[in-house]
Amino acid sequence: MSNTYLGSNQPSHGWWYLTRRVEAFIANLAVTDPQARDGETKQAGVRATLNRHYYKLDSETANSMLTGAWAKHLRVRPPRDVDVLFVLPWDVHDRFQARAGNKQSYLLQEVKDVLAAEYAESDMGGDGQAVVVRFATMPVEVVPAFELANGQFWICDANDGGCYRLSDPRAEIAELDASDQANRGVTRHLIRMMKQWQRHCAVPLKSYILERLAIELLRTWPYDRSYFWYDWLIRDYFAHLISRIDGGIIMPGTGEWIALSDAWAPKARTAYAAASRACEYERENENVLAGAEWQQIFGAHIPLYVG
């Protein structure tokens, strides 16, 4: 790894294993080339299918954009799915507005039917906001949307009788990019690590919430942006998360307030305790003891032992 991540004030008596452990952890989080190609192929086919139906256009990219982890460069091995926002023509909006009942549910059903005609062997499903093509190796989640003049989108929400919700994925990406640049790549590293915690410990928090809280923390986090400080970074992230119990976040662009609740709080407290112990073991050069604590949080992606 590049020496730009090595801290300049490393004590000679402790933390012998930390930088190497972090390097290995980050490498283990990266998706493989075959996984990346698989996701790219699947999402391109889905986008092309919708373009042919709604625009009579043979394109794998037009009228659509990647969102979520693939757009934000936050994928974690193995990637769980690919998120696609597909922009429908406004005459489709007008056609469904003329119908009575849950317009958004009807629209999602139409998109589902279009995709099912192409992917007959795929298990189609949805969560009230997306249509999911459940490929065997990697699902593709499609969010139908209508683009507004200001570059934001209306997306379908079929829950509770149906409505359109405002979304601004470009603003989310722009704010993430700004934070990552200001923090020398640490923002994306931290988010990927927290997504691995989310997965390994089945934490009931959405990924975009983990992202927002990472950006929040790094605005004021006082230490060097180097691998040598990542043990404290992880510990302090969990402390920040705990401080936000029953709070909320504001989404970029739309200003939407998202309540955080507290269902995830016990797992955050457990992770904070394990991270605190791991920090002490790293300081004392207790290689395996530190690794065991980290693995409680992140699983086998982080090494138990580093040479």
Side-chain angles (χ1 to χ4, degrees):
M1 303 298 291
S2 170
N3 287 334
T4 59
Y5 285 102
L6 299 177
S8 59
N9 298 313
Q10 298 182 26
S12 61
H13 60 281
W15 296 278
W16 292 346
Y17 305 104
L18 176 59
T19 296
R20 281 169 286 170
R21 197 186 314 276
V22 170
E23 288 175 345
F25 184 26
I26 290 171
N28 289 340
L29 292 175
V31 299
T32 66
D33 289 341
Q35 288 168 343
R37 287 194 296 270
D38 184 38
E40 292 290 346
T41 299
K42 296 217 170 23
Q43 59 87 13
V46 167
R47 293 161 83 176
T49 297
L50 293 173
N51 267 312
R52 285 193 294 270
H53 180 84
Y54 285 105
Y55 292 96
K56 312 303 179 187
L57 180 66
D58 191 14
S59 173
E60 298 177 345
T61 58
N63 306 301
S64 57
M65 61 183 291
L66 292 172
T67 59
W70 288 71
K72 296 173 180 176
H73 305 290
L74 293 174
R75 296 171 296 179
V76 172
R77 182 194 312 175
R80 286 177 283 198
D81 51 36
V82 187
D83 296 305
V84 172
L85 184 146
F86 189 83
V87 180
L88 294 167
W90 273 98
D91 61 6
V92 174
H93 171 270
D94 298 340
R95 172 161 55 87
F96 280 94
Q97 283 300 105
R99 299 180 63 171
N102 190 325
K103 303 168 179 58
Q104 290 73 25
S105 179
Y106 299 145
L107 193 156
L108 287 167
Q109 183 62 50
E110 178 177 285
V111 172
K112 177 179 175 179
D113 291 343
V114 170
L115 291 170
E118 179 72 19
Y119 300 102
E121 297 180 357
S122 297
D123 176 25
M124 308 293 296
D127 64 355
Q129 298 178 7
V131 175
V132 184
V133 186
R134 302 190 192 282
F135 294 109
T137 55
M138 194 176 306
V140 176
E141 295 198 9
V142 180
V143 174
F146 299 101
E147 187 166 11
L148 305 175
N150 63 1
Q152 296 179 335
F153 300 91
W154 278 349
I155 63 173
C156 292
D157 188 341
N159 297 302
D160 301 322
C163 67
Y164 287 107
R165 293 179 53 246
L166 196 60
S167 178
D168 196 338
R170 295 186 181 110
E172 292 180 39
I173 293 169
E175 190 161 326
L176 173 61
D177 284 344
S179 175
D180 201 51
Q181 182 175 1
N183 289 285
R184 295 185 289 163
V186 172
T187 305
R188 282 189 166 91
H189 284 172
L190 178 58
I191 294 167
R192 289 191 193 103
M193 291 188 289
M194 291 306 125
K195 289 179 68 174
Q196 177 57 26
W197 167 63
Q198 173 200 51
R199 173 185 289 175
H200 178 69
C201 294
V203 181
L205 272 173
K206 297 289 189 181
S207 294
Y208 66 84
I209 293 175
L210 299 175
E211 296 166 19
R212 301 301 309 152
L213 295 177
I215 292 169
E216 276 185 10
L217 172 65
L218 286 166
R219 287 189 184 121
T220 58
W221 196 65
Y223 302 108
D224 187 60
R225 271 54 174 168
S226 67
Y227 286 172
F228 184 71
W229 293 92
Y230 271 34
D231 58 337
W232 286 16
L233 176 65
I234 294 166
R235 178 201 63 192
D236 293 351
Y237 180 92
F238 289 124
H240 180 64
L241 183 57
I242 291 165
S243 77
R244 306 288 270 106
I245 292 171
D246 288 325
I249 59 170
I250 297 175
M251 295 302 294
T254 66
E256 181 183 7
W257 170 263
I258 306 290
L260 299 185
S261 184
D262 63 354
W264 45 270
K267 293 188 176 184
R269 292 191 178 101
T270 298
Y272 174 74
S276 297
R277 292 190 297 268
C279 288
E280 292 302 310
Y281 286 137
E282 293 286 9
R283 181 176 61 84
E284 297 298 328
N285 300 319
E286 295 285 358
N287 192 354
V288 174
L289 290 175
E293 295 293 346
W294 292 128
Q295 287 196 343
Q296 286 190 48
I297 305 169
F298 300 117
H301 277 68
I302 192 165
L304 177 67
Y305 171 85
V306 288

